[in-house]
Amino acid sequence: MKHWTSIEDLRLDARRKVPRMFYEYAMSGSYNEETLRANRADLEKIKLRQRVLVDVSGRDPSTTVLGERAALPLMLAPIGLLGMQHGNGEILACRAAQAAGIPFTLSTMSVCSIEDVAAAVDKPFWFQLYVMRDRGFVRSLVERATAAQCSALVLTVDLQVLGQRHRDIKNGLSVPPKIRFNNAIDVATKPRWAWSVAFAKRRTFGNLAGHVKGMESVKSLAGWTNEQFDPSLSWKDVDWIRSIWPGKLILKGILDPEDARAGVKTGADAIVVSNHGGRQLDGAPSSISMLPSIADAVGSETEVWLDGGIRSGQDLMRALALGARACMIGRPFVYGLGAGGQAGVAKAIDIFKKELDVTMALTGVQRIDQIGRQNLAFGVPDWR
Ligand code: GLV
């Protein structure tokens, strides 16, 4: 659509089209949202170095991630409840990512199941795993991802307990939403959303319901994580996952060089420098501010990726200049999904692509592997 010229446009449109409980689930951070804000503020402190009169006529924004070609240094992050931003949201987002030539990650806490998505798309996608107390169930999820030919497993390591997001509690976040007096008008004024969800494949947590007894009644993310997620999770469990998963393994949620070194020892193929989009430890530093030290510590041994606050192609350039090989995005594509389904996700990816292309041109860069700290105007900021 013509009027979407930035990720901010998609956000504003999603806010109009998606019921408040789900829009606010996506955009919120935990507690005082200090870390959520730091992710953005610290990115904006990085200034790019403008270069002129360099031949940039052969620009190529493609790269490789985990040895595979990707059209951009960009991946769609695992997001819970995507199918509540738009009916069949997981399938639509996966299709948009695959059409654009970048990876899509399906969340454990998705609405469409692994099998639903596998049946609806042409190429392999990635699966994100939470480790729950019931290790038999965890094993069965890994087996289902293997059977669905998922090409990488993204193990989230920063959510053994859930950081509180005040709005989820106030909104009574549930899947499917309970229609109550105070949200009836909200839902009634979102007819396109209601239509898409009413005719979607599912309206519950597709990977859970029907697979383990009692999970039919799982409605709330917070309730489920409090009961089922395992606070005893440790590096030993990563070794166990490594032993039952035959493919590429990615550790998501590393924010400290020491943990990054431990991650490399597990044989992980990539780590994602992340504070879970400012949704977990409030008061933690921004992801971007921890990237240089983590990239220095392990960048030569494993792929280092980043998420948290990436909203533009300019931000992609900033993260790459500081040592990320690629970035995951969450909210930008969620907003696209809410604003326009598959076309909205495609638009979000296209916005990143065009912005990165122009940014490469104006910084005098032709290829992704040329990007480095020399592209920063004032070097790495001191964020302390
Ligand atoms: C789950 O991963 C969440 O951040 O809500």
Side-chain angles (χ1 to χ4, degrees), residues 6 20 25 28 38 42 48 78 80-81 101 109 113 152 156-157 160 173 187 226-227 276 283 292 309 317 320 367 370:
S6 65
R20 183 183 176 129
Y25 163 71
S28 296
D42 286 358
L48 298 171
L81 284 58
M109 303 306 285
S113 68
T156 300
V157 295
Q160 300 102 301
L173 177 70
V187 173
N226 285 343
E227 266 172 43
H276 212 108
M317 171 69 90
L320 266 55
R367 291 192 325 270
Q370 292 172 332

Side-chain angles (χ1 to χ4, degrees), residues 25 130 159 162 165 221 276 279:
Y25 163 71
Y130 279 126
L159 200 140
L162 191 72
R165 299 106 195 220
L221 187 77
H276 212 108
R279 297 161 74 82

Side-chain angles (χ1 to χ4, degrees), residues 112-329:
C112 292
S113 68
I114 305 174
E115 293 79 12
D116 295 337
V117 179
V121 303
D122 302 329
K123 294 184 213 134
F125 53 94
W126 297 353
F127 181 66
Q128 173 268 343
L129 184 71
Y130 279 126
V131 177
M132 288 150 270
R133 292 176 211 251
D134 180 347
R135 295 298 152 88
F137 182 58
V138 173
R139 183 186 279 274
S140 80
L141 279 172
V142 171
E143 286 166 0
R144 288 167 62 194
T146 310
Q149 299 189 337
C150 291
S151 49
L153 190 72
V154 179
L155 181 67
T156 300
V157 295
D158 61 0
L159 200 140
Q160 300 102 301
V161 297
L162 191 72
Q164 176 170 306
R165 299 106 195 220
H166 302 313
R167 275 178 268 223
D168 290 352
I169 299 174
K170 295 192 169 80
N171 291 333
L173 177 70
S174 69
V175 177
K178 276 194 219 67
I179 307 297
R180 296 170 309 189
F181 181 70
N182 55 0
N183 68 0
I185 294 176
D186 182 31
V187 173
T189 52
K190 313 283 186 303
R192 261 190 286 192
W193 175 90
W195 184 269
S196 82
V197 169
F199 290 96
K201 265 185 184 314
R202 288 178 201 278
R203 282 164 291 282
T204 55
F205 291 109
N207 289 326
L208 315 181
H211 290 276
V212 172
K213 238 174 113 237
M215 289 195 197
E216 294 71 17
S217 58
V218 175
K219 302 242 179 329
S220 115
L221 187 77
W224 164 253
T225 46
N226 285 343
E227 266 172 43
Q228 302 292 333
F229 282 33
D230 192 348
S232 78
L233 191 68
S234 75
W235 288 108
K236 281 205 281 302
D237 298 287
V238 180
D239 293 335
W240 174 65
I241 299 290
R242 182 76 278 187
S243 74
I244 61 170
W245 167 254
K248 304 273 187 195
L249 181 69
I250 298 148
L251 300 182
K252 177 172 174 288
I254 303 263
L255 205 59
D256 187 276
E258 214 171 297
D259 287 342
R261 280 190 210 101
V264 166
K265 284 207 195 102
T266 67
D269 299 285
I271 61 166
V272 190
V273 178
S274 171
N275 48 37
H276 212 108
R279 297 161 74 82
Q280 284 294 97
L281 176 63
D282 198 29
S286 65
S287 320
I288 194 73
S289 68
M290 295 310 295
L291 175 64
S293 57
I294 294 178
D296 286 347
V298 301
S300 58
E301 292 163 81
T302 195
E303 292 196 14
V304 176
W305 305 343
L306 174 122
D307 77 9
I310 300 290
R311 295 289 174 276
S312 65
Q314 292 83 338
D315 290 339
L316 278 182
M317 171 69 90
R318 288 166 160 147
L320 266 55
L322 261 54
R325 183 175 186 90
C327 293
M328 286 188 145
I329 50 165

